[in-house]
Amino acid sequence: MEKTPQLLPQHKAMEAFVGGWKINGKNLEGAEGSAGTTVEADGSYTLLPGGFFLELRETAHFGDQQHITLMIMGYDEASLQYPVSFFDNTGYSRVYQGSLRKNTWTISGERERATYTFGDDGNSYTSFWERSFDGANWVPLCELSATRSV
C-alpha cells in the first residue's frame, strides 16, 4: 500500500520561489543563434493547493523570439531530490532533478543544468544555465537576474 504523502520542510522550502519575478539577463554561447541577445522575462511561481507542488511559469523575450515555459516541481522523499518537469512553447519537454543547499537550488538534466542562488533577503536571485549538445561537454546557455515584483 502506498504511503500517504506528508508535507515536509522540503516542501516548504519551495516557497522561496512563490510570487512574481522580473527577470533580466543575457543569452550566452550555448543559445546558438540567440547568443548575445538580451533576455527580459516575467515569472509567476505558485504553490498548488496542498503545498506539495510548485508551478513555475515564465515568458521570456529575446531578439524577436518568445520563450514560454511551464515547470512543475515537487519533492521526492525516497530520492531526497526535487523532481522538475519542464515544458515549453518550442516543443521541448525535459525532466530535471533538483537539490537545495542553503540558498542555492541546483537542477540538472541530461542536456541542461542550472543554479539559482537567492539573495539573503529572498527578494532576488541569480541563475546560470548551461547546455550540453553531446551529453558530456557543457557550454554557458544564459545568465539571469531576478527581482521579486509581487
Side-chain angles (χ1 to χ4, degrees), residues 49-99:
F52 291 97
F53 298 98
L54 180 70
E55 176 184 81
L56 303 95
R57 291 183 179 264
E58 290 182 5
T59 300
H61 300 274
F62 47 91
D64 60 354
Q65 297 183 43
Q66 180 173 282
H67 190 223
I68 301 169
T69 61
L70 166 66
M71 290 190 282
I72 303 292
M73 176 190 284
Y75 179 71
D76 178 53
E77 191 174 359
S79 68
L80 304 177
Q81 293 194 3
Y82 292 85
V84 180
S85 296
F86 168 95
F87 311 92
D88 73 16
N89 65 309
T90 63
Y92 288 99
S93 67
R94 304 240 193 264
V95 176
Y96 303 107
Q97 291 299 320
S99 62

Side-chain angles (χ1 to χ4, degrees), residues 3 5 29 31 33-35 42 50 62 95 103 116 121 123:
K3 179 179 155 188
E29 66 186 84
S34 299
D42 290 300
F62 47 91
V95 176
N103 64 338
Y116 290 76
D121 66 0
N123 290 318

